[in-house]
Amino acid sequence: MKFHEVKLPSVAQHSLRYVLPAAAAATVACVLVLAAVGMPGRVPPLRLLMPPEATNTTGCDIFKGEWVPDPAAGELPYTSESCPVIHGHYDCMRYGRPDVGYVGWRWRPDGGCELQRLDAAWFLAAMRGRSVAFVGDSLARNQMQSLVCLLSRAERPAPWTNGSYVYRFERHGFTVAAFWSPFLVRAVETDPDGPTGNGAGLWSLHLDEPDADWAAHVGTFDYVVVSGGSWFYRPSMFYDRGGRLVGCNNCQVPNVTDLTLRYSLRMAFRSALRAAAAAAPDRRATRTVILRTISPSHYENGTWNEHGDCLRTRPARRGEWEINALEKDMRRIQVEELAAAAAAEAKRGEAAARMLLMDATEAMAQRPDAHPSKYRLWQPDKFKVSRDCVHWCMPGAMDACNDMLSHMLIE
């Protein structure tokens, strides 16, 4: 697929290039710019505060690049001892991973650019009095906990323990939260075994109804990061707002059209992005909604339920790990739905929410070495996969997504 690069100003007027499908680029270039700049209340009050050793990234596409050795890798950014927030699913060191080489890399964008590491004190100062919510599945929580641990180097949040979904940095009045919503829309499990009998279940997805567990609360947040993907593989039935069955994904039910997960992913993100932007209309013009694109799994020599594993100890070189056709479609759908949501918001003029794309797929696709595999908390009653090549060790590759977030919001 041919792509065009669309240059967008960031919050502080530094330009970023967001990669969009060629078919969408012509119509989206203008509306995204309108949605990104010129709105009141967008720039943090401390926008003139520069991070240590700030690097000019004007004109860079921070989402295209490669992983390079990190000269600062000798000092870990955090561990479960220094940051007890880390869930056991991501705590590879505590659960015996023998190497720490996966921490010794940083993401370097193309063109001689440098993506600055998130500076905790600078970030908290610039985000004083604000809040960010991560909405999605356990990978959203993965990113949330990464951010909390990175920021804890400047201030210890409350509560200072694992298991919370809300953390408050009291001195800075900054809140970080995660909302568990793997399908983003209202979902009901109707059969725990499901048609495949592998424990993936059978789900009823109401694709026009954003999940109230998050949609009823994100209106109080300044920044909303929406992500998801892996749960859409599960067998599911698709319903519209009127309760009409419109199709399914791998349901194996006679006379029901299998529309595949491409349909449910598209409709769920369409509903979620619009709901995130529209929550609390009086605060709409000061809200930023970010879509983080899928991060692919890295199972080799089998699938997640058939002896697959992720045993590599170094990042893949550019082009060495090719995401599959379905993953490419999933990323494309997310990019298209973000562009459509941005176009819809732009029509609201100064009352529009700002819509941004964190296109992390390429960066994360190059990290087959950074998953927990067997080195994690084993809870077969809650998480039956014996080798985890979906989530990310902490510290590790997911921290780069928060470097991207910092750059997008306040550099």
Side-chain angles (χ1 to χ4, degrees):
M1 174 183 290
K2 182 180 179 181
F3 289 85
H4 289 309
E5 291 179 338
V6 180
K7 296 184 69 175
L8 299 178
S10 72
V11 181
Q13 312 305 316
H14 290 283
S15 61
L16 303 175
R17 295 200 301 271
Y18 291 78
V19 182
L20 299 175
T27 58
V28 173
C30 293
V31 297
L32 282 179
V33 170
L34 288 173
V37 297
M39 308 301 182
R42 292 311 172 84
V43 181
L46 298 180
R47 63 188 181 277
L48 297 181
L49 179 66
M50 295 302 293
E53 302 178 2
T55 304
N56 183 10
T57 51
T58 301
C60 292
D61 179 356
I62 63 169
F63 307 122
K64 286 189 172 297
E66 61 183 348
W67 294 91
V68 298
D70 184 1
E75 180 180 353
L76 296 175
Y78 57 85
T79 66
S80 56
E81 281 71 33
S82 66
C83 184
V85 167
I86 303 175
H87 192 282
H89 286 171
Y90 322 133
D91 197 354
C92 305
M93 294 180 188
R94 178 181 291 275
Y95 287 92
R97 178 158 175 169
D99 70 297
V100 292
Y102 60 92
V103 183
W105 302 85
R106 64 182 179 88
W107 178 248
R108 185 177 66 188
D110 290 339
C113 301
E114 297 292 336
L115 177 64
Q116 188 77 10
R117 289 286 201 182
L118 184 149
D119 182 271
W122 171 67
F123 186 95
L124 284 170
M127 298 291 282
R128 185 179 299 275
R130 298 180 180 233
S131 55
V132 58
F134 293 89
V135 178
D137 55 22
S138 50
L139 286 169
R141 183 177 64 176
N142 207 165
Q143 185 177 4
M144 180 271 281
Q145 291 189 353
S146 163
L147 180 61
V148 170
C149 286
L150 290 169
L151 296 179
S152 70
R153 295 177 294 177
E155 181 188 345
R156 177 178 293 185
W160 191 228
T161 183
N162 176 272
S164 178
Y165 281 81
V166 181
Y167 293 89
R168 177 79 173 167
F169 295 83
E170 295 290 352
R171 292 205 318 269
H172 293 86
F174 179 61
T175 300
V176 181
F179 292 91
W180 167 257
S181 184
F183 292 107
L184 303 176
V185 294
R186 185 162 71 90
V188 179
E189 188 176 30
T190 56
D191 180 358
D193 294 324
T196 59
N198 63 3
L202 178 65
W203 295 79
S204 292
L205 305 184
H206 299 265
L207 297 172
D208 293 332
E209 300 180 41
D211 182 358
D213 286 348
W214 67 265
H217 303 286
V218 294
T220 62
F221 288 84
D222 299 291
Y223 306 99
V224 183
V225 183
V226 180
S227 61
S230 61
W231 278 66
F232 288 86
Y233 286 92
R234 299 178 181 233
S236 49
M237 313 293 290
F238 305 155
Y239 296 89
D240 62 16
R241 187 173 295 277
R244 182 175 63 95
L245 178 65
V246 296
C248 76
N249 172 53
N250 194 27
C251 63
Q252 302 177 24
V253 176
N255 301 319
V256 177
T257 303
D258 193 329
L259 299 175
T260 79
L261 66 81
R262 295 171 180 83
Y263 181 86
S264 55
L265 184 80
R266 181 180 296 281
M267 300 307 296
F269 270 87
R270 181 173 299 177
S271 296
L273 291 172
R274 283 159 173 72
D282 59 322
R283 299 186 59 180
R284 188 171 192 157
T286 59
R287 179 173 301 112
T288 297
V289 179
I290 305 104
L291 187 157
R292 176 172 57 79
T293 58
I294 64 163
S295 59
S297 63
H298 289 93
Y299 287 100
E300 295 186 279
N301 302 315
T303 60
W304 67 270
N305 59 345
E306 293 181 354
H307 311 295
D309 207 344
C310 37
L311 301 175
R312 299 197 189 195
T313 57
R314 294 176 60 87
R317 297 183 180 87
R318 190 198 304 263
E320 181 181 351
W321 188 281
E322 182 76 10
I323 63 174
N324 63 45
L326 181 54
E327 290 169 334
K328 290 179 181 178
D329 283 348
M330 294 171 74
R331 177 198 165 274
R332 173 183 56 80
I333 288 167
Q334 290 174 328
V335 171
E336 290 174 354
E337 289 304 317
L338 186 282
E345 279 298 301
K347 295 177 181 178
R348 302 182 64 86
E350 293 188 354
R354 187 165 58 122
M355 313 296 290
L356 298 178
L357 178 71
M358 182 188 293
D359 191 0
T361 301
E362 178 175 321
M364 304 310 272
Q366 295 180 31
R367 294 307 307 270
D369 61 311
H371 297 287
S373 181
K374 66 179 181 180
Y375 302 108
R376 59 175 176 80
L377 176 65
W378 174 236
Q379 293 177 297
D381 57 324
K382 297 181 180 179
F383 190 66
K384 299 179 181 180
V385 179
S386 63
R387 298 293 187 271
D388 183 357
C389 303
V390 175
H391 300 97
W392 302 95
C393 293
M394 290 177 53
M398 183 58 85
D399 297 333
C401 289
N402 287 316
D403 297 338
M404 295 174 183
L405 181 67
S406 174
H407 178 92
M408 293 171 68
L409 295 186
I410 58 177
E411 184 176 328

